[in-house]
Amino acid sequence: MTAAAAGENPRFREAADLLDGGIPEGAYAAAVLLVARGDEVLFERSAGYARAASLFDIASLTKPLTAALFFVLSQEGHLSPDGFAAEVLPFTSPDARTRGIRFAHLLSHTSGLPAWLPLYEKLAAAETAEGRQLSGTAEGHDRILAEVLSLPLSRDPGSDWEYSDLGYMLLGRAIEVAGFRSLDRLLAEKVTGPLGMRETRYVPLSAISECETGQVIPTGWSEVRQREKAGETDDENAAAMGGVSGHAGLFSTAGDLFLFAREIVRARRGEGRVLSRPSAMGMTTRVPRPPGCPRTLGFDTPTRPIPSPKGDSTGKPPCSQAGVLAPADAVGHLGYTGCSMWIDPGRETSVILLTNRVVFGSDNRKLSALRPLIHDAVWKAGG
């Protein structure tokens, strides 16, 4: 690794100082920032007890990888963004509008499904009633998905947008049905494996040795599970599903996520390893309907902050978490645990910021004010 890649590039001094300052401020206890252009890492720095190779629970950054896997299966002829989800998934909802949900609606959060529900609580109640463990089992996984498939919609598909974990839960199941294998196996076979993302995986403690567990960054105490979370997904619904879902559950490193971002950039040029140019363009272009929707088929775009259903409001300042200076055509995503990824397609720049803000409690909002400043420092430096 060059000196610049190791974090010595003076152009990024402001970003480095802001990243370091997040530790004493209590925004997070561990963080890694990586900036790249094209195939070159321009800057990489860790803070707190993180190291460059640290493995973070990336929470909803799982969603763009799920979307990429969907598009790989689409390229193989198994699924289509224009296809109806009911042709693959057994909806039991009494709401007939669910039959009008297309996969493009699930990908862009325009399906009309509710944003989020504490489905793990229903599973816990069933455990008490039946006197046996369901959370974390295959049956528990299936029960939660069955619950989502039975829900009525909040609005007509395609009429409005609302960020929905539930939509990506269904997307993950549809991928499994179409691919005839579990989501974790398909992702490794068709996306992370071919891209060389060797550290990216679900339930990492099942695959690493005891001496490597220090590589995994903890995310704090779970009141539901009554234990510290390290190497198991922070998301309670994903945990109840056994740690493998389309909406959350993945662990990764900044270096691995750079490889994924680089694939998006390359594929837009028609040089992707797993994604075609049309797939990459679909993932990085805002959907035309409904008007004003900031989503693409897998990513978000810079916009004014909107509170999440779990209370993860971006708060002040009133700008995108990508920063005031973020390019208008940038795409990216946030993760509830404190992780983010932004890609500037025009300059082929990738910015990966991984933190564990939730280690100080899910109501810790300090990152929301700091993160746009870090991104703006990167954009100013020519990232």
Side-chain angles (χ1 to χ4, degrees):
M1 180 178 291
T2 66
E8 301 302 323
N9 191 326
R11 290 163 48 197
F12 296 97
R13 173 50 53 194
E14 182 183 357
D17 290 344
L18 287 166
L19 185 75
D20 293 347
I23 300 296
E25 290 177 16
Y28 39 75
V32 175
L33 174 65
L34 185 151
V35 182
R37 177 172 292 157
D39 296 341
E40 180 186 4
V41 175
L42 302 177
F43 174 83
E44 185 171 16
R45 187 179 186 87
S46 58
Y49 51 71
R51 297 295 179 266
S54 290
L55 200 60
F56 286 79
D57 178 344
I58 62 171
S60 284
L61 285 189
T62 299
K63 292 182 176 75
L65 278 91
T66 299
L69 177 56
F70 175 92
F71 275 103
V72 172
L73 291 180
S74 178
Q75 291 162 193
E76 295 175 354
H78 301 298
L79 294 167
S80 168
D82 292 329
F84 289 102
E87 295 176 352
V88 178
L89 298 172
F91 284 92
T92 58
S93 171
D95 190 339
R97 294 178 297 175
T98 58
R99 280 61 177 176
I101 297 174
R102 297 180 187 271
F103 286 114
H105 295 141
L106 296 177
L107 287 160
S108 61
H109 301 278
T110 58
S111 67
L113 282 165
W116 176 83
L117 291 170
L119 300 172
Y120 60 89
E121 292 181 353
K122 279 205 167 188
L123 204 61
E127 285 183 331
T128 300
E130 299 175 25
R132 61 195 182 97
Q133 181 177 348
L134 293 169
S135 182
T137 68
E139 183 179 351
H141 185 278
D142 290 346
R143 285 201 187 192
I144 284 181
L145 288 168
E147 184 69 25
V148 179
L149 288 164
S150 73
L151 294 172
L153 300 185
S154 302
R155 54 184 60 83
D156 292 343
S159 65
D160 201 355
W161 73 277
E162 181 177 24
Y163 183 83
S164 176
D165 277 0
L166 308 187
Y168 268 76
M169 289 182 188
L170 295 190
L171 200 62
R173 172 45 61 94
I175 287 169
E176 291 181 325
V177 172
F180 297 103
R181 288 183 291 290
S182 64
L183 187 63
D184 53 340
R185 288 181 60 192
L186 285 165
L187 188 72
E189 175 188 328
K190 296 182 179 293
V191 179
T192 59
L195 295 182
M197 300 171 66
R198 296 183 179 86
E199 303 298 335
T200 302
R201 59 178 69 92
Y202 290 97
V203 288
L205 293 187
S206 65
I208 63 178
S209 67
E210 185 175 348
C211 67
E212 294 174 307
T213 56
Q215 179 188 3
V216 182
I217 299 298
T219 54
W221 177 261
S222 168
E223 288 294 335
V224 175
R225 287 167 259 177
Q226 287 294 295
R227 60 177 178 267
E228 293 287 338
K229 294 164 291 185
E232 56 179 308
T233 180
D234 181 80
D235 186 275
E236 298 296 351
N237 281 335
M241 296 171 72
V244 179
S245 179
H247 77 289
L250 274 177
F251 288 72
S252 191
T253 65
D256 267 18
L257 290 174
F258 157 60
L259 297 178
F260 177 70
R262 186 178 68 176
E263 172 66 9
I264 299 294
V265 167
R266 286 177 168 177
R268 281 174 55 93
R269 296 192 244 115
E271 300 171 2
R273 290 188 179 180
V274 299
L275 290 170
S276 67
R277 187 173 187 276
S279 293
M281 295 305 293
M283 289 186 67
T284 56
T285 304
R286 282 192 183 190
V287 295
R289 293 184 178 81
C293 179
R295 313 301 302 201
T296 74
L297 300 180
F299 284 110
D300 195 6
T301 60
T303 187
R304 293 182 66 85
I306 295 175
S308 82
K310 294 185 251 185
D312 189 22
S313 172
T314 51
K316 297 179 180 179
C319 69
S320 169
Q321 287 288 290
V324 175
L325 303 178
D329 61 346
V331 296
H333 215 288
L334 306 184
Y336 184 74
T337 49
C339 299
S340 61
M341 170 172 56
W342 288 94
I343 302 168
D344 172 3
R347 291 186 292 180
E348 299 191 342
T349 298
S350 309
V351 186
I352 315 297
L353 176 60
L354 305 182
T355 83
N356 64 339
R357 71 157 191 100
V358 292
V359 77
F360 296 123
S362 61
D363 59 348
N364 178 20
R365 300 287 184 267
K366 294 177 181 179
L367 178 62
S368 296
L370 178 61
R371 181 160 45 194
L373 302 179
I374 293 175
H375 282 127
D376 277 340
V378 170
W379 303 129
K380 283 190 294 185

